[in-house]
Amino acid sequence: MSLISQSLALAPAYQPSPNNDITPPEPAGRTKRGIADSDKRWPDGVITVALDLRDEKSKALVVDAIREWAHHTPALRFNIVDGKTGDIRISDDEGLKGNWSAIGTQARHIDEDQPTMHLDRTDDSKKFRSTALHEFGHALGLLHEHQHPQNTLDWDRPQVYDYYTSDAFSEAMVREHILEPDNRPGLQITPYDPQSVMHYEIPAELRRNGQGIPKNTTLSAGDQQAIRRLYPPVNPT
Ligand SMILES: [Zn+2]
């Protein structure tokens, strides 16, 4: 892993619906690039995470996903509360659609009465937890691994367009959010990692070598390395 930082605009689907995993658009005037880490990385200290979720089981799954990241971010402390008030605001409101999150401190630019992350309800606990794990990676500042500038995805491009293009997801969006590597300056880059939770599941038919990439449901060694690099332990003085 990984691409870190600075997201902008719409990111595409977390499998399989292209309508999902949409990152809120960058507020006007916030499109600068460059020092992405300092731009989107949370400062060391306490982050309040508000859970506005339907039941205790959903909350437990999200807390479990947060803890998996938190184990590798000793410079951050997550104060997890019920409700809608916090730095990171996670909702499963059925009035909203898709699985998406603000990227890192982009959350600060979202209206305080709005969630910064949305998770679609599902009775599939494993899927819900792995989606929460992926989205919380975005909330910490991580970007999509399949757009890593050194990715080795030998896309079968016509198949990719066939698979993802829809009324809601144009060919241009497929290009921008699936096919094109993210070469913006200022990103923290660690080696490309197909086992990252920030990588999409890739069906075998979308690659010319015919090898699919499975859905990753736990932090890879590369994810751990990337997040520790973004949030290094605070040295005692
Ligand atoms: Zn995503």
Side-chain angles (χ1 to χ4, degrees):
M1 222 224 132
S2 220
L3 289 179
I4 295 200
S5 149
Q6 184 149 50
S7 86
L8 316 167
L10 300 173
Y14 190 47
Q15 292 292 331
S17 161
N19 296 319
N20 285 347
D21 200 11
I22 291 171
T23 349
E26 190 81 341
R30 295 280 307 167
T31 52
K32 70 175 177 160
R33 305 190 175 189
I35 326 281
D37 294 354
S38 61
D39 208 28
K40 303 292 183 197
R41 177 194 182 283
W42 294 94
D44 292 350
V46 178
I47 299 173
T48 297
V49 182
L51 305 184
D52 181 25
L53 301 170
R54 64 169 162 169
D55 56 26
E56 294 305 315
K57 182 180 169 189
S58 302
K59 289 176 194 168
L61 290 166
V62 170
V63 168
D64 197 52
I66 293 171
R67 284 198 178 129
E68 189 169 343
W69 284 111
H71 187 64
H72 303 286
T73 58
L76 300 179
R77 283 190 37 237
F78 298 102
N79 174 35
I80 300 174
V81 300
D82 273 333
K84 300 181 178 182
T85 305
D87 302 305
I88 295 172
R89 300 180 293 279
I90 306 177
S91 167
D92 65 355
D93 184 339
E94 289 185 300
L96 300 172
K97 281 193 171 29
N99 296 302
W100 47 259
S101 173
I103 306 294
T105 54
Q106 185 185 35
R108 290 173 168 168
H109 304 284
I110 294 175
D111 289 347
E112 287 181 9
D113 61 350
Q114 296 296 314
T116 67
M117 180 190 302
H118 184 262
L119 301 172
D120 278 333
R121 294 182 183 183
T122 170
D123 292 326
D124 182 339
S125 294
K126 190 176 174 195
K127 180 179 176 187
F128 189 74
R129 187 193 181 283
S130 68
T131 301
L133 192 67
H134 175 97
E135 298 304 338
F136 206 78
H138 286 316
L140 291 174
L142 303 184
L143 300 177
H144 283 144
E145 191 72 5
H146 60 271
Q147 292 184 283
H148 191 291
Q150 282 97 48
N151 82 70
T152 54
L153 295 163
D154 48 349
W155 296 111
D156 184 328
R157 297 174 79 92
Q159 292 275 22
V160 171
Y161 285 118
D162 276 358
Y163 184 80
Y164 287 107
T165 306
S166 69
D167 289 345
F169 206 67
S170 67
E171 287 196 4
M173 291 171 81
V174 172
R175 223 169 13 254
E176 182 177 352
H177 299 300
I178 307 271
L179 291 171
E180 288 185 358
D182 195 336
N183 285 312
R184 283 172 292 156
L187 301 178
Q188 173 184 301
I189 306 288
T190 51
Y192 171 62
D193 175 18
Q195 294 182 310
S196 168
V197 293
M198 304 312 293
H199 204 299
Y200 276 9
E201 175 183 6
I202 308 294
E205 66 267 26
L206 302 190
R207 296 184 71 193
R208 284 181 295 180
N209 71 3
Q211 292 183 358
I213 293 179
K215 183 180 176 102
N216 301 315
T217 59
T218 189
L219 298 188
S220 67
D223 289 329
Q224 296 171 25
Q225 177 196 350
I227 204 67
R228 283 177 178 273
R229 184 166 150 193
L230 188 61
Y231 296 100
V234 180
N235 292 324
T237 52

